[in-house]
Amino acid sequence: MAGWSIFLATFLAAAVEWVEAFTIVLAVALGIGWRAAGGAALAALALLAAMTAASGGLLALWLDLAWLQGTIGVLLLLFGVRWLAKAVARRAGLKALHDEDAEFAETRRLLARSDRHAAWLVAFKGVLLEGLEVWLIVVALGLQKGSTLAAAAGALAALVIVAAAGAFARAPLRRVPENAIKLAVGAMITAFGTFWTLEAMGGARTWPWGEWSLPALAVFYIAGGLALAQQLRRSRAAASAAGP
Amino acid sequence: MSAFLKVIVGDRGNLAVVAFAVALAAALVEAGFVTAAALVVPLVLLAGVRWLAAR
């Protein structure tokens, strides 16, 4: 069960990040060509792969199991809580939805003043920064009980699908339901973080249902996130109706 | 470097929410309320999510 849930969590999280990275690479490719922009993206992906291999190995060597579990749990909480809060704020209308077309236009505007070398760097940096979140999730989820293969496969599968869809469309991938995915992934990552942080502190007796507590936690955070978004939306509507 | 740190920990509010939840979990487990920690910590984290979303 854990292997599939890790694959799904990394696949969904990586898909969101790769879509954002693709928008930047597409904008650069229209200026300096697909060969150069693709080269910049591949260089960033190679660096991310090296970082994943090195950091995963170092963490596994340095920390014992309880410390490793605790460290991973806290890292996942830092990541999951942020994604969940962002998705709730967007669903409640408190924060604007991520707009791939606006991102594309902004990158094109920036590139209009740049030379070829600077444009290459924009593609490299864009893929690297978006990929850092994927790196964090793959390393954190992959270290637990040797699930590196499932985590890396999830991220790679997402990369292949986004790259194929991008190559076919040759336009920003605006139809991806980014916020719904972000809410689900934020809930799943927060569930993993809660489970492992508490298990590292209290041992196996912390969770009476064992690993089945994980889907229960994920459902709790998804339902809680949806309820919070609705409640925040109502509060906002009531405040607007009350006037200044 | 600041972009890297932001990816890892998020902003101060995010760090505060997680630090509070982890400190509470540690205090409850240390006091022997392990099952209570498993019930209370998810609720505290969800309250933190609400606070972060509403800021």
Side-chain angles (χ1 to χ4, degrees):
Chain A
M1 184 192 67
W4 274 106
S5 51
I6 285 171
F7 176 89
L8 187 65
T10 47
F11 176 83
L12 291 174
V16 170
E17 298 303 326
W18 296 144
V19 164
E20 290 177 19
F22 172 75
T23 301
I24 298 167
V25 173
L26 174 68
V28 173
L30 293 180
I32 64 173
W34 277 103
R35 184 183 284 266
L42 282 177
L45 289 171
L47 180 57
L48 287 166
M51 281 170 65
T52 305
S55 52
L58 285 176
L59 275 173
L61 278 176
W62 281 347
L63 299 172
D64 70 26
L65 190 63
W67 275 100
L68 190 61
Q69 204 170 28
T71 308
I72 291 167
V74 173
L75 275 176
L76 290 175
L77 284 179
L78 285 165
F79 190 83
V81 164
R82 192 180 350 150
W83 267 37
L84 194 53
K86 206 181 275 183
V88 166
R90 283 180 175 158
R91 195 175 170 86
L94 301 172
K95 190 172 163 60
L97 289 169
H98 188 83
D99 187 341
E100 290 304 324
D101 286 330
E103 175 79 28
F104 180 73
E106 173 65 15
T107 309
R108 293 284 293 157
R109 194 183 59 77
L110 276 173
L111 289 169
R113 298 192 302 255
S114 308
D115 61 12
R116 192 174 171 80
H117 179 66
W120 190 94
L121 277 177
V122 167
F124 177 79
K125 197 177 156 191
V127 175
L128 188 63
L129 283 179
E130 301 297 347
L132 276 178
E133 295 193 65
V134 179
W135 162 76
L136 180 66
I137 293 176
V138 169
V139 169
L141 291 180
L143 276 173
Q144 185 65 23
K145 292 181 184 165
S147 304
T148 311
L149 203 60
L156 278 176
L159 178 65
V160 168
I161 289 172
V162 169
F168 178 73
R170 300 269 169 139
L173 300 171
R174 62 180 78 87
R175 288 189 185 172
V176 175
E178 191 199 320
N179 205 50
I181 294 177
K182 219 157 199 168
L183 196 140
V185 174
M188 287 171 82
I189 301 282
T190 307
F192 276 113
T194 309
F195 185 85
W196 288 335
T197 303
L198 280 168
E199 197 174 66
M201 291 176 182
R205 68 200 164 111
T206 312
W207 302 104
W209 297 350
E211 282 199 351
W212 288 102
S213 303
L214 258 174
L217 281 167
V219 168
F220 168 78
Y221 286 124
I222 288 175
L226 291 173
L228 282 180
Q230 199 170 20
Q231 190 254 325
L232 285 168
R233 186 182 286 274
R234 278 189 194 143
S235 303
R236 186 166 171 256
S240 301
Chain B
M1 193 62 192
S2 63
F4 180 77
L5 275 177
K6 203 175 171 194
V7 168
I8 301 290
V9 297
D11 63 10
R12 285 179 187 180
N14 190 58
L15 191 57
V17 166
V18 174
F20 178 74
V22 171
L24 180 67
L28 287 170
V29 168
E30 196 63 30
F33 301 114
V34 180
T35 312
L39 294 171
V40 170
V41 170
L43 286 170
V44 168
L45 284 168
L46 207 54
V49 165
R50 191 203 181 281
W51 177 69
L52 288 171
R55 280 186 309 168

